Amino acid sequence: MSDKLIEINNLTIHYLVHSGTVKAVNNLCLELIKGETLGLVGETGAGKTTTALGIMRLIPDPPGKIMSGEIIFNGENLLNKTKNEMKKIRGNQISMIFQDPMTSLNPVITVGEQIMEVISLHSKVSKLEAKLKAQEMLELVGIPGERYNEYPHQFSGGMKQRVVIAISLACNPMLLIADEPTTALDVTIQAQVLDLMTKLKKELNTSMLLITHDLGVVAEICDRVAVIYAGEIVESGSLKDIFESTRHPYTKGLFNSIPDLDEETHRLKPITGLMPDPSKLPPYCTFSLRCPDKTDECQKVNPDLFQVTEGHKVRCLLYKNAGKG
């Protein structure tokens, strides 16, 4: 049996709108090993959330369309599944925590009923058993079980996010996708929620795809990292590869734009320019428009992912001969 829980090959997702075709994800390749946490890092508009929605088969159609590729989950291609088959997988085998807990919960249904609904949908249990399991899940995320009958507005932002985590983990999924799960929370609560997610992931033996733009969060809880830019993976590897042997000019730019507490710096080094319009992507390297290391060849071809060392891949022509001895 393969130790890969999910393997994405050449996934392409476009949004067909009146003004043109928005190429949100382009020939994306990604893999997640069972039991690990993979951080998918990139700036706003890079294609992180679209990738997650693609895995869940929740791309709004229209205007979104999965053009090509395959998403192999636990040995089966999710793109070949019917809508009914995907309904059985979502919330049961694959769960997702969305960015904003305020909009993830139904304001007119008690939090207990919302957890219970997921349990009843995927497990053949009585109403009483589902209620007891829902209370147990609340306790598991640090909320007293007696708050079962309370409504979302009676909870703080951090508590709401705990409820969302309880819902997503209620059926003990094999894969948990967390899309910027702490963005809407203040820093102290962020740390608590991340600690909770890491603890529960280990207890329940769940694999996690963490989508974020925060490299600090990645350093704290991820085993491997994939950096996404303009819908393509530009660098991927272990946490040590990305943080200590950074290769791609874009990844280097991300690190240079973070304050270093060990050095006295008067000004940070931002990445010049903006990410290209996804409806007008060039046929060559998409980062070459902003890259300090670009050559003439960079604006002629779109490079493949080159293997630099075992498990460390970079989409950059500077490394095209790296793995050839």
Side-chain angles (χ1 to χ4, degrees), residues 1 4 7 9 57 62 73 81 86-88 106 126 134-135 189 221 233 238 254 279 285 292-293 302 310-311 323 325:
M1 280 293 289
K4 292 176 188 174
E7 185 178 5
N9 298 313
R57 291 271 307 274
F73 173 72
K81 299 286 182 187
M86 278 309 299
K87 278 181 186 176
K88 290 174 185 174
N106 189 324
S126 67
Q135 288 176 325
I189 306 301
I221 68 171
I233 300 298
S238 68
L254 290 179
S279 64
C285 173
D293 303 323
N302 191 21
E310 185 66 36

Side-chain angles (χ1 to χ4, degrees), residues 65-179:
K65 191 169 178 61
I66 297 176
M67 308 299 290
S68 61
E70 55 182 15
I71 302 168
I72 309 297
F73 173 72
N74 210 25
E76 297 184 339
N77 189 354
L78 294 181
L79 300 186
N80 293 337
K81 299 286 182 187
T82 64
K83 285 185 179 180
N84 283 336
E85 285 171 334
M86 278 309 299
K87 278 181 186 176
K88 290 174 185 174
I89 291 171
R90 281 194 293 264
N92 186 21
Q93 295 178 51
I94 307 176
S95 278
M96 187 162 173
I97 301 171
F98 293 93
Q99 284 188 32
D100 189 0
M102 316 299 170
T103 55
S104 298
L105 296 169
N106 189 324
V108 296
I109 300 176
T110 66
V111 296
E113 285 177 348
Q114 293 187 57
I115 301 170
M116 192 174 145
E117 182 183 8
V118 179
I119 297 163
S120 300
L121 193 63
H122 297 292
S123 310
K124 290 178 181 176
V125 293
S126 67
K127 198 169 180 181
L128 178 61
E129 286 172 319
K131 182 175 180 177
L132 291 172
K133 173 73 174 172
Q135 288 176 325
E136 188 185 308
M137 288 308 300
L138 282 174
E139 296 278 358
L140 194 65
V141 297
I143 298 173
E146 53 266 26
R147 297 194 70 179
Y148 175 94
N149 288 317
E150 293 184 16
Y151 290 87
H153 72 269
Q154 294 172 278
F155 292 81
S156 65
M159 285 294 199
K160 281 194 186 85
Q161 193 61 296
R162 285 169 182 262
V163 172
V164 172
I165 292 169
I167 291 170
S168 63
L169 293 175
C171 293
N172 197 3
M174 298 167 75
L175 173 62
L176 178 64
I177 301 173
D179 185 5

